[in-house]
Amino acid sequence: MENDSHKLRLLSSVSDDERILIRHIIDLGRSSQASGHSRFSCFLDERQLSLCNLSLEQYADYLSDYELIGGYDEAERRVIVFSGYGYVVPFSPVVFSGRDIDNLTHRDFLGTLMAQNIKREMIGDILVGEKRTVAFVMNSVLPIVEEISKVGGVGVNITYDFSESDIPEKKFDVINATVKSLRIDAILADAIGLSREKAQALIRSQGVQLNHLMIFDPSEKVNEGDVFSLRGKGKFMLYRVGGMSKKDRIFITIYKYK
């Protein structure tokens, strides 16, 4: 849940590579507006999407209408599509199936795709399911993907019969706790099961990502709905902020993404 202050800080944290990406996306929007043709990016991660979306808001009157699409409602990796006078979906859901694929992981499928010299930005979300795994890939690399016959040494078949039943239900571990304040050190301590002092040390030394912004200040406030992650410890959401306990502590619920 990004407020104006967080948005400004996020934009001020842009790296040189991200600045080049933002200029490229704005150029796509201008090209679509001028030509009337659809233009689109490759797949972007959540931070890239947030940065580009914030930047595009400043040029809304000069660019073609756009959408962020990833193949399904909860997609994390998405493509920015400027519609122009038409609309193009520049990627396809590829379904891998086989009787022996249940032990394969997200890493197995991503590794196989990238081993074909397919760049990461050409690959969207990968939904690992029972007997079927769906990978969203840019149409330009479909001929390469269609040549894949094995993933992790296991034989696979490729089809395009993606359906809503292939979308896994999001699962979380639920952590209920009480905290003295909504500071990131207090929230993180309960999320990862460490003392507040150790959480503070981790934040100062390696940082924690809060709504796509790297934070090194343990006193940073966390709001309901904010998403945070710590390298090697997982991704979390402050799902609910409740009332006060008799000892003046705040009831909270944290979701840990599985």
Side-chain angles (χ1 to χ4, degrees):
M1 299 176 66
E2 296 167 350
N3 55 34
D4 289 342
S5 174
H6 188 88
K7 290 178 181 179
L8 290 174
R9 292 171 64 192
L10 185 59
L11 287 172
S12 68
S13 71
V14 174
S15 68
D16 289 343
D17 286 344
E18 289 169 338
R19 193 169 289 109
I20 292 171
L21 171 65
I22 290 169
R23 286 201 297 265
H24 170 64
I25 298 300
I26 291 172
D27 286 343
L28 289 176
R30 286 172 171 161
S31 173
S32 178
Q33 177 75 356
S35 68
H37 297 301
S38 179
R39 297 285 187 266
F40 48 84
S41 71
C42 294
F43 283 103
L44 306 178
D45 63 28
E46 291 178 293
R47 174 177 165 88
Q48 292 170 328
L49 288 166
S50 185
L51 288 171
C52 289
N53 202 33
L54 288 174
S55 300
L56 288 171
E57 288 176 358
Q58 303 174 37
Y59 296 87
D61 294 337
Y62 309 100
L63 302 177
S64 176
D65 292 338
Y66 69 93
E67 291 186 51
L68 281 58
I69 60 173
Y72 66 108
D73 289 344
E74 301 299 321
E76 295 184 0
R77 297 178 64 84
R78 295 173 182 256
V79 168
I80 298 177
V81 178
F82 297 93
S83 56
Y85 298 134
Y87 190 81
V88 174
V89 178
F91 59 85
S92 297
V94 178
V95 180
F96 296 89
S97 61
R99 64 180 183 178
D100 297 321
I101 72 170
D102 280 357
N103 292 326
L104 297 178
T105 66
H106 182 283
R107 180 177 294 182
D108 291 323
F109 286 96
L110 179 60
T112 296
L113 289 166
M114 295 187 69
Q116 314 306 311
N117 292 320
I118 298 174
K119 294 182 178 180
R120 184 65 181 95
E121 59 265 29
M122 307 301 284
I123 308 165
D125 284 7
I126 299 174
L127 309 178
V128 180
E130 294 183 2
K131 305 298 183 185
R132 289 164 61 91
T133 288
V134 180
F136 297 89
V137 298
M138 299 299 289
N139 291 336
S140 59
V141 299
L142 283 179
I144 301 174
V145 176
E146 289 172 348
E147 295 297 318
I148 295 173
S149 60
K150 288 188 177 181
V151 175
V154 175
V156 296
N157 299 312
I158 290 178
T159 58
Y160 293 93
D161 57 338
F162 169 69
S163 69
E164 288 190 4
S165 63
D166 290 312
I167 303 172
E169 180 182 355
K170 278 196 174 293
K171 296 181 179 180
F172 307 91
D173 287 329
V174 179
I175 303 167
N176 292 305
T178 62
V179 290
K180 288 184 178 180
S181 72
L182 296 178
R183 288 169 40 132
I184 185 62
D185 58 350
I187 306 294
L188 182 65
D190 281 312
I192 63 177
L194 293 178
S195 69
R196 191 165 176 176
E197 290 73 20
K198 289 183 178 179
Q200 289 175 348
L202 282 173
I203 294 168
R204 291 193 178 104
S205 63
Q206 68 180 63
V208 59
Q209 192 169 91
L210 175 63
N211 293 339
H212 317 303
L213 179 66
M214 193 60 70
I215 299 296
F216 293 90
D217 182 359
S219 68
E220 188 81 23
K221 184 180 178 182
V222 185
N223 297 304
E224 188 173 88
D226 283 352
V227 175
F228 58 97
S229 61
L230 181 68
R231 188 173 66 251
K233 297 295 184 179
K235 179 179 176 182
F236 309 85
M237 177 198 297
L238 179 57
Y239 178 71
R240 181 181 293 115
V241 177
M244 304 290 291
S245 72
K246 292 181 180 179
K247 295 184 178 181
D248 291 329
R249 293 175 66 88
I250 306 167
F251 290 104
I252 61 169
T253 300
I254 300 168
Y255 279 1
K256 179 179 181 180
Y257 291 78
K258 288 188 175 181

